[in-house]
Amino acid sequence: MGKLLVEDKTIVTPGEELAEGMDFLPAEGTFRDKDKIISSGLGLINVNGRVIKTIPVAGRYIPEKGDTIIAKVTNILMSGWILDIDSAYSAVLSVKEAKDFIRRDADLTRYYNIGDYIVTNIVMVTSQRLVDASMKDPGMRKLIGGRIIKVNSHKVPRIIGKRGSMVSMIKQATDCSITVGQNGLVWINGSPENEIIVVETIKKIEQEAHISGLTDRIKTFLEKKTNKKINIEKVE
Amino acid sequence: MNNQQKDHILNFFEKGIRFDGRKLDEYRKIKVEKGFSGNAEGSARVTIGDTIVLAGVKLSVGEPYPDTPDKGTMMINAELMPLSSPDFEPGPPAIQAIEIARVVDRGIRESGAIDTKKLCIKKEEKAWSVLIDICTLNEGGNLLDASALAVVAALQDTKMPSYNGKTVDYKKKTKETLPLNLKKMPTSCTVSKIGNYFIVDPTSEEEKKVEARLTIEVEEDGTLCALQKGGDKPLTAEDIDKMVGIGIEKSKELRKFL
Amino acid sequence: MSYTKRNDGRKFDETRSIEAKAGVIKRADGSAYFKMGKTVAYVAVYGPREIHPKFLQNPKKGKLRCYYNMMPFSSMGDRVRPGANRRAKEIAMVTEKALLPVVNLNDFPNSVVDVFIELPQTDAGTRCAGICAASMALADAGIPMNGMVAAVSMGRVDDKLVVDLDYSEESYEDGTVADIPIAIVSGTEEISLLQMDGELSRDELKQSIEIVKKACSKIDKIQRDALKKKYEVKNE
């Protein structure tokens, strides 16, 4: 016997009792205390059959292996670059992990200089949170021009959408290049008027990420702002 | 700041808009709330866009300065509270805070906005001390203008406490206001230069790209009562004249909030 | 003359009116506003972030660091000189201890979560208001927490036990006063802050704790409602 104590897809607070009964299984963001399942932070409760988890709605980015992020170069060493990834932890990009082959005595600032933004992958995170980055994969590059905005890293999946559908829709409507880092940094490049629409749209997604019907609302919003009809089939 | 990002912002300026869609000479939404504190003799909370600054006025009775025995005293202190930005650290006031306090102080002192002669209680012995504190609550750019506006609004909000000749009774507030000369009350407008463009009210992001800035404090009739140039790059005489013109123009708008 | 009626007409077990709001300081990772009667506390949380100086790092888990400050114009009476003083440091320390039981920083080795408490207006009960706001701000920042903390000052004014002392009661001159700030952890109802100033009997202490548990349970609901309210959609 089990009973859900809160409504699914609502915001729950730390220590709040989510369900009682041994039938339920506590997953991420929850823990069991005797016969109750309890939230271990502020989040959106998600019930899938017997599995209860919470999706975080706030919190700074925690680096994970495999993430593609946007990082800022903050320091240059003999062996590589130190990156600010907007987390409690900085990342290291060693010379051998840079995009192109770099000679031993090359001037590293000619590749990535302090203040430059790059798209890079996280390849390792140790238990002490030492983070290694690499730019070997295709698509990794230094970002030229454009502007960077910061969003809540937990909202990134909604901004990207299923198989990139949300961000593709925004790109189609505004003709802007957009790169979304898993760490919540977003690069936008296009005409000034369109960039402003992109920023407004992304902020709207951030605020309404936890409310259903988001894709349709954003589609309507974009069509109104750009006076363009958006073709969903064209969106890959 | 990265040169490419600076070029990108200039693309925007060329079209007469900024990253947040504002015009170059447009302030964000301004809100002035007087009297948020029941304990201070005067207080005001100013919001400009995301920037929030609190100012409070405390009055006490003390000895006048020996070189001005018939005048009351004024002191302004500013703190960039660590609560308001990830870049502010706890500890004694940073140089940025000291600059804000001193620039705002000069505007009020030099304009004669407070009639300090009327603050004298007994020549050489007793005079009112006006102690003003600026505390930032959220750093969103343009702390100086927000602080200056908050201080003036707090002074306008101030009511004198009762004084029986010996002690101040803070619990008994009178209806008497500070002796202020409203026409002299300064408004502050900081004009910033990025590339060849002038903007007002920069966001924190824009502030990082500012090359030079000029804070202009103006009385009601357009008389300048304080100036402060900041930033690493120098300004030409033409720049300064243009910036002063923008400052005087904008101060008319800001004055409406007092 | 014994204290038969409270100065502001409240019942003996009644707290002052409370106002709570989450997310009031945009630059912060989490923030809250908590007002109890005339005492107002703002709290901003920054973190997890890199800790300076480095020797304070704990390789096993993140550190919680609290700061408490009354703004110079916050009290009725003389201006409060700015700068850390011994009272502020002690309050910061007990605040940290009050919050630690609910906070889980195991995922953030070598980093710090900074909690800044500022009071623009005070009328006694400042450390309690600070703790209530801090608990909300930590949740708002997405810090993993298995509960929340509420706190209120119990008092003995003459022979009466009263909840949430205001300044007039704290400085009551017609009899003796004991000031007992207490913080309660939600769920377990354990006590994470207990201080006492004045004289109190063992029995009065026992009673005080029971009365505070009830008051804190009400405060707990206000804190949670405020956190959830932030995520309600404002209809455009």
Side-chain angles (χ1 to χ4, degrees), chain B residues 7-37:
Chain B
D7 289 339
H8 195 73
I9 207 177
L10 294 177
N11 289 344
F12 273 68
F13 289 172
E14 229 178 298
K15 297 212 163 172
I17 49 170
R18 297 149 76 162
F19 279 170
D20 58 6
R22 275 186 292 156
K23 296 205 270 294
L24 304 197
D25 66 347
E26 198 181 328
Y27 267 79
R28 292 166 288 176
K29 178 156 174 223
I30 298 176
K31 236 171 54 172
V32 175
E33 296 160 60
K34 291 186 193 163
F36 72 81
S37 167

mmCIF file of all heavy atoms in Angstrom, chain B residues 7-37:
data_model
loop_
_atom_site.group_PDB
_atom_site.id
_atom_site.type_symbol
_atom_site.label_atom_id
_atom_site.label_comp_id
_atom_site.label_asym_id
_atom_site.label_seq_id
_atom_site.Cartn_x
_atom_site.Cartn_y
_atom_site.Cartn_z
ATOM 1 N N ASP B 7 33.327 44.461 -30.004
ATOM 2 C CA ASP B 7 32.858 44.800 -31.352
ATOM 3 C C ASP B 7 31.388 44.463 -31.500
ATOM 4 O O ASP B 7 30.643 45.177 -32.151
ATOM 5 C CB ASP B 7 33.660 44.024 -32.402
ATOM 6 C CG ASP B 7 35.084 44.538 -32.492
ATOM 7 O OD1 ASP B 7 35.300 45.689 -32.062
ATOM 8 O OD2 ASP B 7 35.960 43.793 -32.957
ATOM 9 N N HIS B 8 30.989 43.361 -30.899
ATOM 10 C CA HIS B 8 29.597 42.933 -31.034
ATOM 11 C C HIS B 8 28.654 43.941 -30.402
ATOM 12 O O HIS B 8 27.599 44.237 -30.945
ATOM 13 C CB HIS B 8 29.419 41.558 -30.398
ATOM 14 C CG HIS B 8 28.154 40.898 -30.799
ATOM 15 N ND1 HIS B 8 27.966 40.366 -32.052
ATOM 16 C CD2 HIS B 8 27.002 40.694 -30.132
ATOM 17 C CE1 HIS B 8 26.755 39.855 -32.130
ATOM 18 N NE2 HIS B 8 26.144 40.037 -30.973
ATOM 19 N N ILE B 9 29.038 44.478 -29.254
ATOM 20 C CA ILE B 9 28.151 45.442 -28.605
ATOM 21 C C ILE B 9 28.113 46.721 -29.436
ATOM 22 O O ILE B 9 27.085 47.394 -29.494
ATOM 23 C CB ILE B 9 28.568 45.703 -27.135
ATOM 24 C CG1 ILE B 9 27.358 46.124 -26.310
ATOM 25 C CG2 ILE B 9 29.652 46.753 -26.997
ATOM 26 C CD1 ILE B 9 27.641 46.325 -24.849
ATOM 27 N N LEU B 10 29.215 47.027 -30.130
ATOM 28 C CA LEU B 10 29.211 48.223 -30.972
ATOM 29 C C LEU B 10 28.259 48.047 -32.163
ATOM 30 O O LEU B 10 27.662 49.017 -32.631
ATOM 31 C CB LEU B 10 30.636 48.540 -31.441
ATOM 32 C CG LEU B 10 31.607 48.939 -30.322
ATOM 33 C CD1 LEU B 10 33.011 49.162 -30.856
ATOM 34 C CD2 LEU B 10 31.134 50.180 -29.581
ATOM 35 N N ASN B 11 28.104 46.795 -32.631
ATOM 36 C CA ASN B 11 27.112 46.538 -33.691
ATOM 37 C C ASN B 11 25.731 46.976 -33.242
ATOM 38 O O ASN B 11 24.944 47.530 -33.999
ATOM 39 C CB ASN B 11 27.027 45.037 -34.030
ATOM 40 C CG ASN B 11 28.256 44.550 -34.755
ATOM 41 O OD1 ASN B 11 29.030 45.363 -35.271
ATOM 42 N ND2 ASN B 11 28.449 43.254 -34.802
ATOM 43 N N PHE B 12 25.454 46.672 -31.966
ATOM 44 C CA PHE B 12 24.162 47.055 -31.405
ATOM 45 C C PHE B 12 24.059 48.575 -31.328
ATOM 46 O O PHE B 12 23.064 49.168 -31.730
ATOM 47 C CB PHE B 12 24.011 46.471 -29.989
ATOM 48 C CG PHE B 12 23.461 45.084 -29.948
ATOM 49 C CD1 PHE B 12 24.188 44.010 -30.421
ATOM 50 C CD2 PHE B 12 22.202 44.848 -29.418
ATOM 51 C CE1 PHE B 12 23.673 42.724 -30.364
ATOM 52 C CE2 PHE B 12 21.685 43.563 -29.350
ATOM 53 C CZ PHE B 12 22.419 42.496 -29.829
ATOM 54 N N PHE B 13 25.099 49.206 -30.793
ATOM 55 C CA PHE B 13 25.057 50.662 -30.594
ATOM 56 C C PHE B 13 24.864 51.382 -31.922
ATOM 57 O O PHE B 13 24.191 52.399 -31.999
ATOM 58 C CB PHE B 13 26.345 51.145 -29.922
ATOM 59 C CG PHE B 13 26.471 50.743 -28.478
ATOM 60 C CD1 PHE B 13 27.664 50.967 -27.798
ATOM 61 C CD2 PHE B 13 25.431 50.159 -27.796
ATOM 62 C CE1 PHE B 13 27.798 50.609 -26.461
ATOM 63 C CE2 PHE B 13 25.553 49.784 -26.465
ATOM 64 C CZ PHE B 13 26.752 50.017 -25.795
ATOM 65 N N GLU B 14 25.462 50.819 -32.961
ATOM 66 C CA GLU B 14 25.329 51.423 -34.281
ATOM 67 C C GLU B 14 23.858 51.525 -34.686
ATOM 68 O O GLU B 14 23.467 52.447 -35.388
ATOM 69 C CB GLU B 14 26.061 50.550 -35.298
ATOM 70 C CG GLU B 14 26.986 51.319 -36.203
ATOM 71 C CD GLU B 14 27.719 50.383 -37.139
ATOM 72 O OE1 GLU B 14 28.478 49.524 -36.647
ATOM 73 O OE2 GLU B 14 27.496 50.507 -38.344
ATOM 74 N N LYS B 15 23.082 50.530 -34.241
ATOM 75 C CA LYS B 15 21.655 50.544 -34.559
ATOM 76 C C LYS B 15 20.854 51.278 -33.497
ATOM 77 O O LYS B 15 19.627 51.268 -33.519
ATOM 78 C CB LYS B 15 21.136 49.103 -34.676
ATOM 79 C CG LYS B 15 21.798 48.335 -35.798
ATOM 80 C CD LYS B 15 20.857 47.329 -36.387
ATOM 81 C CE LYS B 15 21.357 46.862 -37.731
ATOM 82 N NZ LYS B 15 20.567 45.756 -38.260
ATOM 83 N N GLY B 16 21.559 51.889 -32.543
ATOM 84 C CA GLY B 16 20.875 52.683 -31.529
ATOM 85 C C GLY B 16 20.219 51.877 -30.420
ATOM 86 O O GLY B 16 19.374 52.391 -29.684
ATOM 87 N N ILE B 17 20.577 50.573 -30.309
ATOM 88 C CA ILE B 17 20.024 49.803 -29.194
ATOM 89 C C ILE B 17 21.122 49.070 -28.434
ATOM 90 O O ILE B 17 22.248 48.966 -28.892
ATOM 91 C CB ILE B 17 18.971 48.752 -29.637
ATOM 92 C CG1 ILE B 17 19.498 47.914 -30.802
ATOM 93 C CG2 ILE B 17 17.653 49.373 -29.959
ATOM 94 C CD1 ILE B 17 18.590 46.733 -31.099
ATOM 95 N N ARG B 18 20.730 48.602 -27.263
ATOM 96 C CA ARG B 18 21.655 47.868 -26.399
ATOM 97 C C ARG B 18 21.183 46.435 -26.244
ATOM 98 O O ARG B 18 20.105 46.072 -26.726
ATOM 99 C CB ARG B 18 21.699 48.559 -25.045
ATOM 100 C CG ARG B 18 22.244 49.969 -25.181
ATOM 101 C CD ARG B 18 21.664 50.873 -24.160
ATOM 102 N NE ARG B 18 22.265 50.647 -22.858
ATOM 103 C CZ ARG B 18 22.183 51.520 -21.880
ATOM 104 N NH1 ARG B 18 21.527 52.635 -22.041
ATOM 105 N NH2 ARG B 18 22.744 51.272 -20.716
ATOM 106 N N PHE B 19 22.006 45.616 -25.573
ATOM 107 C CA PHE B 19 21.683 44.199 -25.418
ATOM 108 C C PHE B 19 20.291 43.960 -24.845
ATOM 109 O O PHE B 19 19.653 42.967 -25.134
ATOM 110 C CB PHE B 19 22.713 43.515 -24.508
ATOM 111 C CG PHE B 19 23.993 43.145 -25.203
ATOM 112 C CD1 PHE B 19 25.083 42.722 -24.461
ATOM 113 C CD2 PHE B 19 24.121 43.201 -26.575
ATOM 114 C CE1 PHE B 19 26.278 42.371 -25.080
ATOM 115 C CE2 PHE B 19 25.314 42.862 -27.205
ATOM 116 C CZ PHE B 19 26.394 42.436 -26.451
ATOM 117 N N ASP B 20 19.814 44.884 -23.998
ATOM 118 C CA ASP B 20 18.485 44.658 -23.416
ATOM 119 C C ASP B 20 17.400 45.430 -24.159
ATOM 120 O O ASP B 20 16.291 45.581 -23.678
ATOM 121 C CB ASP B 20 18.468 45.017 -21.923
ATOM 122 C CG ASP B 20 18.875 46.453 -21.673
ATOM 123 O OD1 ASP B 20 19.068 47.218 -22.645
ATOM 124 O OD2 ASP B 20 19.002 46.818 -20.501
ATOM 125 N N GLY B 21 17.731 45.925 -25.334
ATOM 126 C CA GLY B 21 16.730 46.600 -26.155
ATOM 127 C C GLY B 21 16.556 48.076 -25.878
ATOM 128 O O GLY B 21 15.810 48.771 -26.563
ATOM 129 N N ARG B 22 17.222 48.612 -24.851
ATOM 130 C CA ARG B 22 17.070 50.031 -24.522
ATOM 131 C C ARG B 22 17.790 50.912 -25.530
ATOM 132 O O ARG B 22 18.706 50.461 -26.221
ATOM 133 C CB ARG B 22 17.693 50.316 -23.160
ATOM 134 C CG ARG B 22 16.815 50.061 -21.971
ATOM 135 C CD ARG B 22 17.507 50.511 -20.714
ATOM 136 N NE ARG B 22 18.656 49.707 -20.367
ATOM 137 C CZ ARG B 22 19.663 50.136 -19.623
ATOM 138 N NH1 ARG B 22 19.676 51.370 -19.154
ATOM 139 N NH2 ARG B 22 20.666 49.329 -19.324
ATOM 140 N N LYS B 23 17.396 52.175 -25.570
ATOM 141 C CA LYS B 23 18.148 53.160 -26.364
ATOM 142 C C LYS B 23 19.400 53.534 -25.564
ATOM 143 O O LYS B 23 19.486 53.295 -24.359
ATOM 144 C CB LYS B 23 17.286 54.402 -26.621
ATOM 145 C CG LYS B 23 16.057 54.103 -27.468
ATOM 146 C CD LYS B 23 15.581 55.324 -28.202
ATOM 147 C CE LYS B 23 14.556 56.148 -27.429
ATOM 148 N NZ LYS B 23 13.277 55.457 -27.210
ATOM 149 N N LEU B 24 20.336 54.142 -26.224
ATOM 150 C CA LEU B 24 21.607 54.454 -25.566
ATOM 151 C C LEU B 24 21.442 55.409 -24.400
ATOM 152 O O LEU B 24 22.176 55.345 -23.418
ATOM 153 C CB LEU B 24 22.625 55.045 -26.566
ATOM 154 C CG LEU B 24 22.944 54.206 -27.795
ATOM 155 C CD1 LEU B 24 24.234 54.703 -28.435
ATOM 156 C CD2 LEU B 24 23.079 52.747 -27.477
ATOM 157 N N ASP B 25 20.455 56.323 -24.487
ATOM 158 C CA ASP B 25 20.310 57.307 -23.417
ATOM 159 C C ASP B 25 19.096 57.000 -22.543
ATOM 160 O O ASP B 25 18.504 57.894 -21.944
ATOM 161 C CB ASP B 25 20.185 58.715 -24.001
ATOM 162 C CG ASP B 25 18.884 58.878 -24.792
ATOM 163 O OD1 ASP B 25 18.216 57.857 -25.083
ATOM 164 O OD2 ASP B 25 18.531 60.026 -25.115
ATOM 165 N N GLU B 26 18.728 55.735 -22.488
ATOM 166 C CA GLU B 26 17.533 55.365 -21.729
ATOM 167 C C GLU B 26 17.896 54.700 -20.405
ATOM 168 O O GLU B 26 18.737 53.793 -20.359
ATOM 169 C CB GLU B 26 16.719 54.377 -22.580
ATOM 170 C CG GLU B 26 15.281 54.202 -22.175
ATOM 171 C CD GLU B 26 14.576 53.184 -23.079
ATOM 172 O OE1 GLU B 26 14.934 53.092 -24.275
ATOM 173 O OE2 GLU B 26 13.692 52.468 -22.562
ATOM 174 N N TYR B 27 17.240 55.145 -19.319
ATOM 175 C CA TYR B 27 17.410 54.512 -18.023
ATOM 176 C C TYR B 27 16.464 53.326 -17.940
ATOM 177 O O TYR B 27 15.405 53.327 -18.545
ATOM 178 C CB TYR B 27 17.067 55.493 -16.892
ATOM 179 C CG TYR B 27 18.253 56.252 -16.346
ATOM 180 C CD1 TYR B 27 18.770 57.357 -17.026
ATOM 181 C CD2 TYR B 27 18.855 55.873 -15.150
ATOM 182 C CE1 TYR B 27 19.863 58.046 -16.519
ATOM 183 C CE2 TYR B 27 19.945 56.567 -14.637
ATOM 184 C CZ TYR B 27 20.452 57.644 -15.330
ATOM 185 O OH TYR B 27 21.531 58.331 -14.835
ATOM 186 N N ARG B 28 16.823 52.352 -17.144
ATOM 187 C CA ARG B 28 15.899 51.252 -16.859
ATOM 188 C C ARG B 28 14.806 51.786 -15.935
ATOM 189 O O ARG B 28 14.840 52.951 -15.533
ATOM 190 C CB ARG B 28 16.641 50.102 -16.165
ATOM 191 C CG ARG B 28 17.650 49.409 -17.067
ATOM 192 C CD ARG B 28 18.596 48.525 -16.281
ATOM 193 N NE ARG B 28 19.543 49.291 -15.500
ATOM 194 C CZ ARG B 28 20.422 48.758 -14.665
ATOM 195 N NH1 ARG B 28 20.458 47.453 -14.486
ATOM 196 N NH2 ARG B 28 21.257 49.518 -13.979
ATOM 197 N N LYS B 29 13.871 50.905 -15.576
ATOM 198 C CA LYS B 29 12.755 51.350 -14.734
ATOM 199 C C LYS B 29 13.275 51.766 -13.363
ATOM 200 O O LYS B 29 14.010 51.027 -12.716
ATOM 201 C CB LYS B 29 11.759 50.194 -14.602
ATOM 202 C CG LYS B 29 10.584 50.512 -13.732
ATOM 203 C CD LYS B 29 9.393 49.642 -14.077
ATOM 204 C CE LYS B 29 8.295 49.928 -13.064
ATOM 205 N NZ LYS B 29 7.624 48.768 -12.588
ATOM 206 N N ILE B 30 12.865 52.940 -12.925
ATOM 207 C CA ILE B 30 13.339 53.487 -11.649
ATOM 208 C C ILE B 30 12.188 53.505 -10.663
ATOM 209 O O ILE B 30 11.070 53.893 -10.982
ATOM 210 C CB ILE B 30 13.864 54.932 -11.833
ATOM 211 C CG1 ILE B 30 15.062 54.938 -12.783
ATOM 212 C CG2 ILE B 30 14.271 55.524 -10.487
ATOM 213 C CD1 ILE B 30 15.589 56.320 -13.100
ATOM 214 N N LYS B 31 12.476 53.064 -9.438
ATOM 215 C CA LYS B 31 11.464 53.118 -8.377
ATOM 216 C C LYS B 31 12.107 53.705 -7.133
ATOM 217 O O LYS B 31 13.202 53.280 -6.738
ATOM 218 C CB LYS B 31 10.980 51.687 -8.071
ATOM 219 C CG LYS B 31 9.487 51.532 -8.207
ATOM 220 C CD LYS B 31 8.968 50.113 -8.121
ATOM 221 C CE LYS B 31 9.339 49.307 -6.922
ATOM 222 N NZ LYS B 31 8.633 48.020 -6.859
ATOM 223 N N VAL B 32 11.451 54.678 -6.533
ATOM 224 C CA VAL B 32 11.977 55.264 -5.298
ATOM 225 C C VAL B 32 10.931 55.074 -4.210
ATOM 226 O O VAL B 32 9.816 55.563 -4.336
ATOM 227 C CB VAL B 32 12.268 56.777 -5.478
ATOM 228 C CG1 VAL B 32 12.706 57.396 -4.166
ATOM 229 C CG2 VAL B 32 13.341 56.983 -6.539
ATOM 230 N N GLU B 33 11.285 54.344 -3.150
ATOM 231 C CA GLU B 33 10.347 54.160 -2.042
ATOM 232 C C GLU B 33 10.942 54.802 -0.803
ATOM 233 O O GLU B 33 12.011 54.393 -0.347
ATOM 234 C CB GLU B 33 10.147 52.669 -1.734
ATOM 235 C CG GLU B 33 9.502 51.882 -2.850
ATOM 236 C CD GLU B 33 9.788 50.377 -2.686
ATOM 237 O OE1 GLU B 33 9.403 49.815 -1.646
ATOM 238 O OE2 GLU B 33 10.406 49.788 -3.581
ATOM 239 N N LYS B 34 10.243 55.777 -0.252
ATOM 240 C CA LYS B 34 10.779 56.441 0.931
ATOM 241 C C LYS B 34 10.235 55.788 2.189
ATOM 242 O O LYS B 34 9.115 55.301 2.207
ATOM 243 C CB LYS B 34 10.371 57.922 0.918
ATOM 244 C CG LYS B 34 11.062 58.694 -0.180
ATOM 245 C CD LYS B 34 10.754 60.175 -0.088
ATOM 246 C CE LYS B 34 11.188 60.858 -1.366
ATOM 247 N NZ LYS B 34 10.606 62.164 -1.546
ATOM 248 N N GLY B 35 11.025 55.833 3.242
ATOM 249 C CA GLY B 35 10.552 55.410 4.557
ATOM 250 C C GLY B 35 10.416 53.914 4.753
ATOM 251 O O GLY B 35 9.536 53.466 5.474
ATOM 252 N N PHE B 36 11.276 53.093 4.130
ATOM 253 C CA PHE B 36 11.147 51.651 4.326
ATOM 254 C C PHE B 36 11.542 51.247 5.740
ATOM 255 O O PHE B 36 11.162 50.187 6.226
ATOM 256 C CB PHE B 36 11.998 50.881 3.298
ATOM 257 C CG PHE B 36 13.476 50.964 3.550
ATOM 258 C CD1 PHE B 36 14.089 50.140 4.489
ATOM 259 C CD2 PHE B 36 14.259 51.867 2.866
ATOM 260 C CE1 PHE B 36 15.454 50.225 4.734
ATOM 261 C CE2 PHE B 36 15.613 51.966 3.100
ATOM 262 C CZ PHE B 36 16.222 51.140 4.037
ATOM 263 N N SER B 37 12.338 52.092 6.403
ATOM 264 C CA SER B 37 12.795 51.721 7.740
ATOM 265 C C SER B 37 12.081 52.538 8.795
ATOM 266 O O SER B 37 12.053 53.763 8.728
ATOM 267 C CB SER B 37 14.302 51.955 7.867
ATOM 268 O OG SER B 37 14.681 51.877 9.227
#
